[in-house]
């Protein structure tokens, strides 16, 4: 049977109301959330539940992926047809 999913809290990422979250990627201690409305990725400390950074990545980021070693984050930007690479 499927594992139930529970909301344990919410965290304001600082993005405008109506912002669309396109994708989420995780490592052991970070959560990366793409914010399509303002062209950023929010980096969250998953241990402390705090926003540690918001990075400009390009137009309409909808996909994020972290390398297995957690050292690089790749972002797909649909608005500009580009990709961004950010170091974690």
């Amino acid at each position: 049977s499927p594992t139930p999913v529970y909301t344990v809290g919410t965290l304001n990422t600082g993005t405008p109301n109506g912002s669309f979250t396109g994708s989420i990627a995780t490592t052991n201690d970070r959560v990366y959330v793409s914010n399509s409305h303002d062209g950023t990725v929010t980096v969250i400390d998953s241990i402390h539940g705090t926003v540690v950074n918001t990075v400009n990545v390009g137009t309409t980021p909808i996909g994020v992926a972290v390398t297995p070693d957690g050292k690089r984050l790749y972002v797909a930007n649909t608005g500009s047809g580009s990709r961004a690479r950010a170091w974690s």
Side-chain angles (χ1 to χ4, degrees), residues 27-80:
T27 63
N28 288 336
D29 62 349
R30 294 286 188 260
V31 177
Y32 301 91
V33 181
S34 65
N35 305 303
S36 296
H37 180 69
D38 66 357
T40 64
V41 169
T42 300
V43 183
I44 300 168
D45 179 324
S46 61
I47 295 170
H48 299 100
T50 57
V51 173
V52 294
N53 200 0
T54 299
V55 182
N56 291 317
V57 294
T59 306
T60 320
I62 62 157
V64 291
V66 180
T67 56
D69 61 8
K71 292 185 178 181
R72 289 193 174 89
L73 175 72
Y74 290 90
V75 181
N77 298 314
T78 61
S80 60

